[in-house]
Amino acid sequence: MQRRPERRTPESSAFVDQLHGDAAMSTLPLGRIALALAFAAASLGAHAQTTALAKPTAAPATKQPAKPKAKKVDPKVAPEAEVVETISEGQMLVAGRVLTGTAQCEFNQSVNVMPMQDRPGHFKVSFNKASYTMTPQETTTGAVRLEDRRNGIVWLQIPAKSMMMNQKVGQRMVDGCMLAEQRAVAER
């Protein structure tokens, strides 16, 4: 004789089945119970992993006295007082390869690169009313690299052209710059 499936109602939930004891267990197939337990165990394991990987909550912050607000610095103007960086022997060799003078750049712009007489190995690089004190950095490619670490400005010279970059924002400030020696290489 075939048994008709029972119609389940909200009153016959699993909680009610538990209250009735073994009689309710006889109406659920054993496979479904095992499947339900397997899903429950898997979800608890996933929850435990997620909880273990979660960032710990921060301790409540203690109120600090208010700090004085820093003055906004115009990024186009480099501050006058700067720390003098010591120059290594390798950097002095690079300084000897720096092309100096006024470089004509794309969009009718120009960059002026001049050695600082009072500080050997340092260069004053001017662009758009801003001046940067730069020091040569050794490179593995042979390119000449002048850097103002404090402001994040880099001047790169390769035989064909030069460019100025702002490392802090990851952009070129000016490109396609050529000094007289680079123009001679480009015309060959």
Side-chain angles (χ1 to χ4, degrees), residues 113-167:
V113 182
M114 299 305 292
M116 296 179 77
Q117 300 302 326
D118 57 333
R119 297 198 286 193
H122 290 77
F123 294 86
K124 187 130 201 127
V125 180
S126 304
F127 171 67
N128 273 357
K129 299 180 184 177
S131 291
Y132 305 99
T133 301
M134 298 191 165
T135 56
Q137 304 299 317
E138 297 179 67
T139 64
T140 57
T141 62
V144 173
R145 177 185 173 104
L146 298 177
E147 188 172 338
D148 179 344
R149 289 186 181 174
R150 192 162 140 210
N151 292 307
I153 307 299
V154 176
W155 175 252
L156 292 171
Q157 289 181 346
I158 58 174
K161 69 174 186 172
S162 298
M163 72 178 79
M164 185 179 285
M165 298 174 60
N166 183 332
Q167 284 184 315

Side-chain angles (χ1 to χ4, degrees), residues 64-120:
Q64 300 280 336
K67 293 181 183 177
K69 289 187 178 181
K71 290 189 280 182
K72 287 188 178 181
V73 177
D74 187 1
K76 293 181 181 178
V77 180
E80 292 297 323
E82 297 187 28
V83 177
V84 177
E85 185 178 331
T86 58
I87 303 292
S88 71
E89 191 175 317
Q91 287 175 302
M92 285 304 288
L93 291 173
V94 173
R97 297 188 355 244
V98 174
L99 302 176
T100 57
T102 301
Q104 297 303 317
C105 307
E106 62 186 7
F107 306 118
N108 240 3
Q109 296 176 315
S110 64
V111 175
N112 192 27
V113 182
M114 299 305 292
M116 296 179 77
Q117 300 302 326
D118 57 333
R119 297 198 286 193

